[in-house]
Amino acid sequence: MNSSHLNRFDTSWFVVMTRPRQERTAKEHLAAQGYEVYLPMTGGDDPVALFPRYLFLRPGYAEQSLETVRSTRGVSHLVKFSDQLAVASGQLIESVRWLEASFDRVSADQIAAHDRVEILEGPFAGYDAEVAGTGTDRVIVLMRVLGSEKPVQLPMVSVRKIS
């Protein structure tokens, strides 16, 4: 595979190593060049890179060269194994996105009865519900089923508090 020109035939992403504490700078400058860039971040009030010094990118268009990546501000180099560029599958990226989203999910001490939550996974994914109670890693929500509210127990990681 020629590393100077790549066609985006699949959903693969290339792995970029950044200079120390330069992940956001590299992301910004790569995106300005037209690359699609993904920098996984931890949740919280002061998020940091989930994988310090690493981010993922793929060309923004079929004939976009990767030659400019290594000279981009904040970038150290494209990661290689022997002479092959390191590639992360689309499936891996989706798993990382799921992990990243889990940082925004609530824990038992963050929600209380009568709070509104969005259900993120399972057969009720996408629905909003009222919290009836919480446990250490479970939440009981009230779901309207067949015209009446029924308690449904869900894993805590499968809900997100609605502001």
Side-chain angles (χ1 to χ4, degrees), residues 66-86:
L66 293 177
E67 292 301 315
T68 61
V69 171
R70 67 176 176 216
S71 62
T72 300
R73 177 175 278 179
V75 170
S76 175
H77 59 275
L78 281 161
V79 176
K80 290 184 177 184
F81 296 111
S82 297
D83 63 341
Q84 296 292 315
L85 291 173

Side-chain angles (χ1 to χ4, degrees), residues 27-45:
K27 176 185 177 185
E28 178 182 314
H29 287 271
L30 288 165
Q33 294 175 53
Y35 294 104
E36 186 176 352
V37 184
Y38 174 46
L39 174 60
M41 302 293 286
T42 62
D45 295 334

Side-chain angles (χ1 to χ4, degrees), residues 62-119:
E63 295 301 317
Q64 186 173 24
S65 172
L66 293 177
E67 292 301 315
T68 61
V69 171
R70 67 176 176 216
S71 62
T72 300
R73 177 175 278 179
V75 170
S76 175
H77 59 275
L78 281 161
V79 176
K80 290 184 177 184
F81 296 111
S82 297
D83 63 341
Q84 296 292 315
L85 291 173
V87 176
S89 70
Q91 183 178 10
L92 174 66
I93 296 297
E94 287 308 309
S95 295
V96 172
R97 288 186 196 278
W98 185 90
L99 175 64
E100 183 181 28
S102 72
F103 287 108
D104 292 332
R105 296 179 187 171
V106 295
S107 64
D109 61 341
Q110 294 175 305
I111 62 171
H114 308 294
D115 284 346
R116 298 288 306 167
V117 294
E118 175 188 4
I119 301 171

